Amino acid sequence: LPASIGGFVSPSHAQVATRSDIDLRSALLEAQDARVRTPAHREVVATGLAHERPEVRVISLRTIARTQRAEFLGPAIDALTHPSIDVRREAAFAVAHIGSGGDEALPRAASALRSAIDRERDALVFGALVEEYGRLPFADGPALDAAATLIRDALVARASSPDAPATVRLSAA
């Protein structure tokens, strides 16, 4: 039986969370609740962002996204190229969320998402990137029009590939 329905998965067939992984996850959740306010929180986030297990990186990205602080935009952008699709999807959310947190981060976040949209090959990650780009707070009508055009062009280009186009929601500030 698969583990999801009560079966056993041997350690040789699945990664097993160690006690230190569980402790790190707990510390990340604590840092997330506190919006990463202390040096100890920053240290635990840095450890999580560099962790070998994708699920720990996902929690770390979720943690920095919730802060909406530009200081964390660099690591979120870096994660857009991670081999794990789960990490890249969460990175898309983190980049957009941080970019929505203040004017200084918005242009860099928008640029990073545009670049990632152009290079992404996985359909689910592509859909997350396009959706998150559409959630950015565009300042005015021309900026919103440019974003809509980029999204349309990306979806049209994607439609010619064997991957199914993503569903996209576009919002204005």
Side-chain angles (χ1 to χ4, degrees):
L1 289 175
S4 62
I5 55 173
F8 173 77
V9 176
S10 72
S12 63
H13 291 97
Q15 289 186 330
V16 176
T18 65
R19 179 70 187 156
S20 63
D21 287 347
I22 293 167
D23 292 344
L24 178 58
R25 290 177 192 175
S26 294
L28 283 165
L29 293 174
E30 179 183 315
Q32 188 178 100
D33 287 344
R35 301 294 194 270
V36 190
R37 294 287 178 203
T38 69
H41 292 151
R42 284 180 175 77
E43 183 178 327
V44 98
V45 166
T47 299
L49 289 169
H51 202 277
E52 65 183 359
R53 293 176 61 110
E55 58 272 21
V56 175
R57 287 185 187 224
V58 165
I59 295 168
S60 301
L61 286 162
R62 207 167 288 151
T63 299
I64 64 173
R66 288 189 67 189
T67 70
Q68 290 189 308
R69 292 200 313 261
E71 70 183 276
F72 295 118
L73 186 56
I77 289 171
D78 291 345
L80 290 170
T81 60
H82 191 274
S84 166
I85 62 172
D86 293 329
V87 170
R88 293 195 313 273
R89 286 176 66 194
E90 195 66 36
F93 172 77
V95 169
H97 211 65
I98 293 168
S100 297
D103 292 338
E104 75 265 8
L106 183 58
R108 190 167 163 220
S111 177
L113 290 171
R114 284 192 305 268
S115 295
I117 287 167
D118 290 342
R119 72 174 174 267
E120 184 57 56
R121 297 293 166 241
D122 181 84
L124 292 174
V125 178
F126 174 81
L129 288 162
V130 171
E131 182 172 357
E132 295 305 334
Y133 182 76
R135 289 183 181 183
L136 291 174
F138 300 104
D140 53 30
L144 182 59
D145 288 343
T149 298
L150 179 130
I151 290 169
R152 182 201 65 217
D153 292 350
L155 290 172
V156 168
R158 187 69 177 204
S160 65
S161 78
D163 297 321
T167 301
V168 179
R169 290 184 291 270
L170 181 65
S171 64

